[in-house]
């Protein structure tokens, strides 16, 4: 039972263009959402988060959008840079899981020079 | 990663042997977690700890045990390793409170069970 889903295993984008990574969740009790970025042979690192009381959070080139009615969140990277090439995981917490995070399966982003 | 180290980073072992992975932190964070990462599954929680000698099971705890006798160390043990436990294991820490959701991960331990 995958409560957090990333349906696109991979995405390729031209440098300078926008990257949009998507994430869907099924548990309506989730109230906090995060994105992590992972380079090969390293641990995931926190990128950006959003609370369910907001629908948008921005940090530099990264913006996360939350659509609670659709149980959908997305990460926008503008402009995309080759150094953004990594695996991106979305994660959610709340409800009976408390502070424990439930992760999606990840999307591998490749930014072409 | 600064403040959190995992050992060993790589290990190859045979089916049926015991294996212990160590996570050591210098941040004095209360919460520690063990995840495994597998293709098609993302990161799945194995066990977690909310303090010394306070541990609980995650979603994929079968075949694993943990111990936390000191704040800084969280050990993950495979009593009798199986090929299905071949994976990359990540330890994570967080101070709890308002920052509870933001985890800091170690660099990972790649385990191969032959």
């Amino acid at each position: 039972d995958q409560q957090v889903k990333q349906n696109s295993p991979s995405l390729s984008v031209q440098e300078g263009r926008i990257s949009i990574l998507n994430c869907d969740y099924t548990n309506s009790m989730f109230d906090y959402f995060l994105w992590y970025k992972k380079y090969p042979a390293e641990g995931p690192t926190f990128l950006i988060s959003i609370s369910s009381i907001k629908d948008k959070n921005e940090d530099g080139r990264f913006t996360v959008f939350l659509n609670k009615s659709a149980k959908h969140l997305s990460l926008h990277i503008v402009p995309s840079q080759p150094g953004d090439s990594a695996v991106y995981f979305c994660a959610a917490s709340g409800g009976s899981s408390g502070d424990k995070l439930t992760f999606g399966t990840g999307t591998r982003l490749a930014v072409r020079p | 990663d600064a403040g959190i180290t995992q050992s060993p980073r790589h290990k190859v072992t045979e089916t049926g042997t015991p294996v212990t992975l160590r996570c050591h932190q210098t941040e004095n964070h209360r919460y520690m977690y063990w995840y495994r990462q597998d293709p098609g599954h993302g990161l799945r929680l194995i066990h977690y700890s909310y303090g010394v000698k306070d541990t609980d099971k995650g979603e994929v705890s079968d075949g694993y045990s943990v111990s936390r006798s000191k704040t800084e160390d969280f050990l993950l043990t495979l009593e009798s390793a199986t090929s299905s436990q071949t994976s990359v294991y990540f330890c994570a820490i967080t101070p709890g409170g308002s920052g509870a959701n933001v985890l800091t991960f170690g660099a990972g331990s790649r385990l191969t069970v032959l």
Side-chain angles (χ1 to χ4, degrees):
Chain A
D1 179 23
Q2 193 76 27
Q3 296 190 71
V4 179
K5 303 177 184 180
Q6 294 176 257
N7 293 317
S8 297
S10 63
L11 175 68
S12 181
V13 172
Q14 192 75 35
E15 180 179 4
R17 304 295 291 269
I18 184 172
S19 295
I20 300 176
L21 294 90
N22 294 303
C23 179
D24 297 295
Y25 62 96
T26 58
N27 188 339
S28 59
M29 299 302 292
F30 286 148
D31 58 9
Y32 200 78
F33 304 89
L34 308 89
W35 286 93
Y36 282 81
K37 175 180 181 179
K38 184 184 179 306
Y39 291 120
E42 296 182 11
T45 56
F46 169 72
L47 188 59
I48 192 170
S49 63
I50 188 168
S51 165
S52 60
I53 63 173
K54 295 184 176 181
D55 54 17
K56 176 183 175 181
N57 189 27
E58 190 172 355
D59 184 2
R61 296 185 297 113
F62 303 91
T63 303
V64 57
F65 295 92
L66 176 63
N67 183 333
K68 290 186 291 293
S69 61
K71 296 190 182 68
H72 177 84
L73 66 154
S74 61
L75 175 68
H76 292 210
I77 306 174
V78 184
S80 301
Q81 299 174 354
D84 296 328
S85 297
V87 177
Y88 290 79
F89 292 99
C90 66
S93 67
S96 60
S97 69
D99 292 332
K100 297 188 295 296
L101 296 182
T102 300
F103 285 85
T105 52
T107 296
R108 182 177 302 277
L109 173 66
V111 180
R112 307 185 305 274
Chain B
D1 290 350
I4 178 171
T5 55
Q6 294 184 227
S7 59
R9 293 291 315 278
H10 302 272
K11 185 171 182 66
V12 179
T13 191
E14 295 188 349
T15 298
T17 60
V19 175
T20 295
L21 305 180
R22 180 185 185 228
C23 178
H24 178 77
Q25 59 140 332
T26 58
E27 304 296 325
N28 200 36
H29 285 344
R30 178 181 173 189
Y31 299 86
M32 300 186 75
Y33 302 83
W34 276 108
Y35 285 88
R36 61 179 287 176
Q37 184 197 359
D38 303 288
H41 292 280
L43 292 155
R44 292 180 293 174
L45 181 63
I46 305 171
H47 280 280
Y48 58 99
S49 170
Y50 286 168
V52 173
K53 297 185 180 179
D54 184 3
T55 65
D56 207 345
K57 298 178 179 180
E59 62 178 307
V60 289
S61 60
D62 288 348
Y64 301 95
S65 62
V66 289
S67 66
R68 192 166 177 204
S69 58
K70 298 184 291 185
T71 297
E72 58 264 36
D73 288 325
F74 193 30
L75 304 180
L76 177 70
T77 297
L78 292 66
E79 300 291 347
S80 178
T82 67
S83 58
S84 65
Q85 293 175 311
T86 292
S87 186
V88 181
Y89 293 86
F90 290 99
C91 177
I93 61 175
T94 183
S98 61
N101 304 101
V102 179
L103 304 180
T104 299
F105 283 85
S109 296
R110 180 177 294 276
L111 175 66
T112 301
V113 184
L114 302 176

